[in-house]
Amino acid sequence: ISLCLVRRFPALKANRLLRILTSEPLNYRIMRSHGSHKILVSLGRDRIVFAHHGQQEISGNKVKHYLVDLAKLNEEQAWNLIH
């Protein structure tokens, strides 16, 4: 029997997630900003359109989507960045 470990990523405040995305090792930069929407770019990674509302909670599923699917981290790397 195969046991598959699925991690539930925690919800994060938008400010914290933006800090994670724009810091080492991801190094995203804000390419453009219009109102609360920011377009983030980083060499070798997918572009992220981020709706930034400071203290708003970003769901764990969305956090995982940003870090694993778009920023191209594996789950272990993404998990370690937020803990």
Side-chain angles (χ1 to χ4, degrees):
I1 296 175
S2 175
L3 179 63
C4 181
L5 177 65
V6 177
R7 286 196 170 128
R8 289 185 54 103
F9 278 64
L12 298 177
K13 299 282 188 189
N15 284 336
R16 179 156 181 237
L17 182 57
L18 184 62
R19 264 194 321 276
I20 289 169
L21 291 170
T22 57
S23 301
E24 287 286 334
L26 299 177
N27 297 317
Y28 272 91
R29 296 292 169 244
I30 298 172
M31 181 179 86
R32 193 170 21 165
S33 183
H34 182 63
S36 63
H37 289 82
K38 300 182 183 326
I39 297 176
L40 306 172
V41 294
S42 182
L43 191 61
R45 302 181 191 281
D46 288 353
R47 178 183 73 154
I48 294 175
V49 178
F50 186 73
H52 181 261
H53 299 281
Q55 294 303 312
Q56 180 183 8
E57 291 260 322
I58 307 294
S59 75
N61 287 337
K62 195 71 168 172
V63 169
K64 183 177 177 181
H65 173 69
Y66 284 135
L67 297 177
V68 176
D69 299 333
L70 299 178
K72 306 295 187 206
L73 296 176
N74 64 42
E75 282 194 31
E76 185 72 24
Q77 292 168 323
W79 185 262
N80 289 336
L81 263 185
I82 60 176
H83 285 92

